[in-house]
Amino acid sequence: MQAQIPAFLKAILPEGTVIHSNIAYASDTLKKHTLDLYLPPHRDKALPVLIWIHGGGWTAGNQYNDMDYMAGTLKAIFEQGYAVASINYRYSTTAIFPAQIQDCNQAAEFLYTNSGKYTLDKDKLAVIGFSAGGYLASLIATSNNNTIEAFYYNKITPRFKIRAAIDFFGPTDFIARIGSMMLDEGNRKSTSTLLLGAQPVDRPDLAKFASATTYVDKADPPFLIFHGDKDVTVPITLSKLLDSYLQLANVHSEFVIVKDAPHGGKLFGSEEIKSKILVFLNTYLK
C-alpha cells in the first residue's frame, strides 16, 4: 500500500514513520471513506492529531492534494511529533451536501474511537484544510459544539472535540460568495451549486445552513486563517468575514494575508507560514 505514496511525500517522512494507508473509517467499502494515518517515530506517548482535508472544489482531489507545495511545513509537523490523518470524502458529483461534512465528522470520530489502537491522543484533534477542504475544516470546527443532526451520519452526535483549526482560502460563507458571482452567469454547475444541489441565490436558506460562519460562537476553537491577495477563485473577503465573526465572538483568530499569492501554490509553503503553523499547533494542541 505504501507504494502508492507520492515520491515527494516519501522524501519528507522521518525515518521510522509508520504509515497506515486506506483505513476504512465508515465501516463500508467506499474509496472516499478512507484515510491515511502517519505516525511519527519515537511514540512514547499518545500523539496529538492533525486532520488534513484536501481541496478540489468538492469534485476532485484525494488525500495527497495540497501536500506538495506544503511539503516543508508538513515535514516540520512530522518532526514536531504530530500524527497526521489525511482523509478522503465524497465528491459533490456523487452526493450533495451535507455528505461531505458527515464524512469529515465520521473520520474524526473514527480517530477518537480508535485512539488507543493507533497511540493517538483523542483529546487533541486539530483540522487543517485547503480551499474546499478549508471550508470543511472551518465547518467541522464551528459546528462541533452544535447539535446539527444532518451533519452526522445516522444523526449520531460524535464525541470528539476539535481543539484548533487552520483554514487556507476556504469559501466559508455561501451567502457572501453570491456577491462575487454574476447573477445571470447561467452557470448551473458552479462548485457551490454542485455542492448544495441548488444555486445559493435561489436557496439562501440552504446556503446559510451550509456556511461555516453560521455556526460561529464563543465556544469555538482557535483559528489560523491564510488567504492570498491575488486569489481569483475564492474572494479574500470570505476569509476576512470568518475572521471577523470569530473576533466578534471572542474566539482567538489570526488572519494572514499572503502577498501576491493566488489560490494555492508554493507561496503558502514559506518559512513564515510554516513558523506560524507550528507556533499555533504547539500552543493549542500540546
Side-chain angles (χ1 to χ4, degrees), residues 19 40 57 106 134 151 168 171 204 238-239 250 255 284-285:
I19 308 167
Q106 270 198 284
F151 288 3
F168 280 82
L238 299 186
S239 286
N250 292 318
F255 174 42
Y284 294 106
L285 216 61

Side-chain angles (χ1 to χ4, degrees), residues 50 72-82 166 224 226 271-286:
L50 181 62
T73 298
L74 192 56
K75 182 175 185 290
I77 289 169
F78 288 134
E79 291 172 345
Q80 290 278 320
Y82 291 95
I166 305 173
L224 179 58
F226 298 96
E271 287 295 314
E272 179 183 1
I273 289 176
K274 178 177 75 173
S275 177
K276 284 184 178 295
I277 288 174
L278 292 178
V279 169
F280 181 76
L281 291 176
N282 289 340
T283 299
Y284 294 106
L285 216 61
K286 281 193 172 180

Side-chain angles (χ1 to χ4, degrees), residues 51 53 58 101 104-105 126-146 151 162 164-173 210-217 220-227 238-239 241-243 246 253:
I51 302 172
I53 310 178
W58 308 290
I101 192 63
C104 291
N105 276 311
V127 288
I128 184 171
F130 303 79
S131 191
Y135 156 73
L136 289 168
S138 297
L139 182 59
I140 193 175
T142 60
S143 67
N144 186 221
N145 65 318
N146 294 268
F151 288 3
I162 297 298
I166 305 173
D167 166 27
F168 280 82
F169 40 86
T172 53
D173 191 303
S211 294
T213 52
T214 298
Y215 305 99
V216 172
D217 62 41
D220 289 340
F223 267 74
L224 179 58
I225 304 168
F226 298 96
H227 211 122
L238 299 186
S239 286
L241 185 63
L242 174 61
D243 174 65
L246 291 165
S253 177

Side-chain angles (χ1 to χ4, degrees), residues 65-212:
N65 269 48
D66 310 294
M67 288 184 169
D68 51 353
Y69 60 85
M70 297 296 295
T73 298
L74 192 56
K75 182 175 185 290
I77 289 169
F78 288 134
E79 291 172 345
Q80 290 278 320
Y82 291 95
V84 174
S86 185
I87 70 174
N88 285 304
Y89 53 88
R90 284 171 288 174
Y91 294 157
S92 60
T93 48
T94 300
I96 62 172
F97 185 86
Q100 294 69 31
I101 192 63
Q102 288 178 0
D103 292 351
C104 291
N105 276 311
Q106 270 198 284
E109 183 69 4
F110 174 89
L111 295 167
Y112 180 94
T113 302
N114 292 275
S115 57
K117 178 179 180 180
Y118 296 109
T119 324
L120 307 176
D121 190 332
K122 65 182 181 180
D123 296 319
K124 294 182 178 179
L125 301 181
V127 288
I128 184 171
F130 303 79
S131 191
Y135 156 73
L136 289 168
S138 297
L139 182 59
I140 193 175
T142 60
S143 67
N144 186 221
N145 65 318
N146 294 268
T147 304
I148 312 299
E149 289 187 345
F151 288 3
Y152 311 124
Y153 177 71
N154 283 342
K155 300 182 179 180
I156 300 174
T157 304
R159 295 166 294 170
F160 72 87
K161 297 296 179 186
I162 297 298
R163 301 301 180 184
I166 305 173
D167 166 27
F168 280 82
F169 40 86
T172 53
D173 191 303
F174 293 108
I175 297 293
R177 197 180 189 190
I178 291 172
S180 69
M181 303 167 68
M182 292 292 290
L183 181 62
D184 61 349
E185 65 183 354
N187 182 8
R188 308 299 297 185
K189 295 183 179 180
S190 69
T191 55
S192 296
T193 299
L194 282 172
L195 178 70
L196 302 177
Q199 283 191 325
V201 72
D202 294 332
R203 289 293 308 276
D205 58 326
L206 184 57
K208 182 177 180 180
F209 179 66
S211 294

